[in-house]
Amino acid sequence: MPVSELHCRVTLDRLKRRLHSRFPEESRTPEWEGFEFRLEEEFPNLFRHLLELYGHHFDFFYHLEKLLETMATMWLDRLPELKSSDGLREAEPTWFQGGRLIGAMAYVDLFAGDLKGLREKISYLQELGVTYLHLMPIYRTPDGDDDGGYAVSSYREVDADLGTMDELRELAVELRQHGISLVLDFVFNHTSDEHEWAKLARDGDEICQGYYLMFDSRQEPDEYERHLREIFPDEHPGCFTYLTRIKKWVWTTFHTYQWDLNYRNPEVFNAMVEEMLFLANVGVEVLRMDAVPFIWKQKGTNCENLPEAHRVIETFNLIARIVCPSMVFKSEAIVAPDDIKSYLGPNQCQISYNPLLMALLWESLATRNARLLRYSMERRFALEPGCAWVNYVRSHDDIGWGFDNHDAETQGINPHDHRRFLNDFYVGRHQASFARGEPFQENPETGDARVCGTCASLCGLGKALEENDEEEIELALRRILLIYGVSFTIGGIPLIYLGDEIGMLNDYGYHQDLEKEGDARWLHRPFFDWEKAERRTEAGTVENILHGGFLKLAQMRQNNDALARGETEIVDAGNDHVFAFFRTTPDQTVLCVANFSDQPQVVEAPRLRQLGLRKALLDIVAGQTVIAAKQLDLEPLQFMVLLKRGH
Ligand code: OTU
């Protein structure tokens, strides 16, 4: 439906009159004008998007009115300090760029017991330079298996074992006072089967059944499944689960107890907006948008990355710009490289995980060769202005080999065989492997699998310690600092999986835990070992070397503008074992060099001169001066950050 300016104006005027009668002047706060101003600004786009998604519903205007009412109510509920931060960040919408943010992620229970315990650990986070803290889902979930919190029964209640919503709000305040942005999940593709809506749906409530995607027979599920991928095939085949009580099939992309929401229903959209704004009002500054590719379904397609999925996110984004402009979205799309990028943009998700970099760092460690990493990053790292990558080496999920097949082929790599090799390598089936991982969702027929294991275990620390091999221990530590080194310096927000900084190893205990044993991702979600953390201050320990390395990376970002905000340019060091990139501002040039080989490597002098490096360089990692007139000698797995002296 084309939207004329007049149509838009008239609609907005009518809606505003409604709002004014619903919220008379006395009930509004002085900043109401600001809210209304943003509403006026964004309304034409909001209206257009909603018409596109829901314009064919006979009660479209009713839902639109409800939506605006929700927005106004939630805005009025917003704490004054959050409103003031809205004002500041409206003036600086790219506040998350500029190098200030250093991220960390953790499960509250595994890291600190509960929310109260977490408050006592803020000093540990500060010591590491953390300014962004992603707490894994802390919401109420079903007892027993809950997909690590991703099966949400209530977005407004904290899991009783962790604390209360008030404690979460207090924590958000305390974090803010310490300059740490709170990051929480918005698990909006699905709810748990114990969410109020799901319970009512199972009791026969037709309105709530319409919140999900339910079918009376196998006919439609069969039609859909012809084109769908299975995400957790070990747990259940296909993407639907049968509900005996109501004799219906419900769409379950992930686990049988995670029911996909039906975003074709405008009521679902509105209800989820309210949940999103509730989280914004708790004090969330970065909202992690879980599983974005799956939120819209269309028969005959694979139901991933559809245009309407983007539209829904854009519309959420517009609403956030109006109600809580200080909150930004982080996309969690672990899909093909082009699709990952399609969610990034000031109008969709301002930031995104960078799973391509993550996968290729591991690929380079396994092959000791950085060619595919260089080729892919040269083409795919740059982002449009107003966006940023979250660069990580491990998350709570499995590692999948999401590089682009064509990229691999241009490098003479057979993508299928290569993925097989990488899986074998990281689960320790390959003889040259240093890694101790386990396969996840393995399909013996196709050889498809993903990999689990902590950063340290995949880097060889577990094996080396067991074998008491000093040399291998040294190499494992270097691997950890090499891949984290790249994530801290390549540009964007680095993200530490808490525990990696002290070399936490795999937790095999999950095999004995009934709730966890079916899901190998628990291998790399160990309890944080605070005794081990204590050893960070004992000179020469593994913990001390690693932790010290992380501190140095954080300091380097703080002290060097080019690392914080410089432009990134991937370069060819003339040696396939070496990955190199420049970071430049008008005032500073830095060259980062990573040797992925466990042998010494060289960058030849002519290549250095070609890159404009002729004079003395300072390697701020080792604190040594390097004379570029000669060749650059790199030790096995060495990471250098070279400052150009003068210009
Ligand atoms: C996300 O991951 C979460 O990170 C997982 O921990 C959850 O189990 C899941 O959603 C369900 O909530 O498939 O293997 O492209 O790949 O959303 C992890 C995105 C996953 C999906 C991703 C999903």
Side-chain angles (χ1 to χ4, degrees), residues 249-366:
W249 291 89
V250 63
W251 197 306
T252 52
T253 300
F254 296 97
H255 295 91
T256 53
Y257 51 83
Q258 287 164 309
W259 294 6
D260 288 46
L261 285 162
N262 174 17
Y263 278 92
R264 283 179 186 269
N265 179 349
E267 234 177 280
V268 169
F269 180 87
N270 282 3
M272 290 306 282
V273 164
E274 202 172 321
E275 303 312 289
M276 172 179 89
L277 296 177
F278 178 87
L279 295 176
N281 285 356
V282 168
V284 172
E285 299 187 28
V286 177
L287 194 64
R288 176 189 180 278
M289 309 295 276
D290 184 56
V292 291
F294 299 94
I295 58 173
W296 196 272
K297 281 76 170 166
Q298 171 72 51
K299 213 178 279 172
T301 74
N302 67 356
C303 300
E304 288 182 46
N305 311 306
L306 294 178
E308 290 85 351
H310 292 282
R311 198 56 89 222
V312 168
I313 295 163
E314 274 169 352
T315 318
F316 278 146
N317 181 309
L318 277 171
I319 292 167
R321 300 284 62 75
I322 298 167
V323 183
C324 49
S326 59
M327 183 176 82
V328 295
F329 292 171
K330 172 170 75 157
S331 150
E332 192 261 342
I334 315 301
V335 282
D338 290 334
D339 292 323
I340 296 169
K341 258 196 173 172
S342 69
Y343 293 97
L344 260 160
N347 300 330
Q348 287 191 70
C349 298
Q350 295 89 339
I351 62 187
S352 163
Y353 282 105
N354 190 352
L356 181 62
L357 175 66
M358 184 275 292
L360 290 175
L361 288 171
W362 292 106
E363 190 269 345
S364 304
L365 280 182

Side-chain angles (χ1 to χ4, degrees), residues 25 28-39 75:
E25 197 151 358
R28 300 183 223 148
T29 55
E31 306 91 349
W32 175 270
E33 321 254 279
F35 169 74
E36 217 164 82
F37 177 77
R38 295 195 295 267
L39 177 62
W75 179 79

Side-chain angles (χ1 to χ4, degrees), residues 147 150 187 190 231-232 254 258 288 290-291 293-294 332-335 396-398 440 450 521 525:
D147 190 23
Y150 283 95
V187 188
H190 44 268
I231 306 299
F232 293 147
F254 296 97
Q258 287 164 309
R288 176 189 180 278
D290 184 56
F294 299 94
E332 192 261 342
I334 315 301
V335 282
H396 66 294
D397 280 331
D398 45 290
F440 182 61
R450 283 114 78 184
R521 292 176 297 175
R525 300 168 180 173

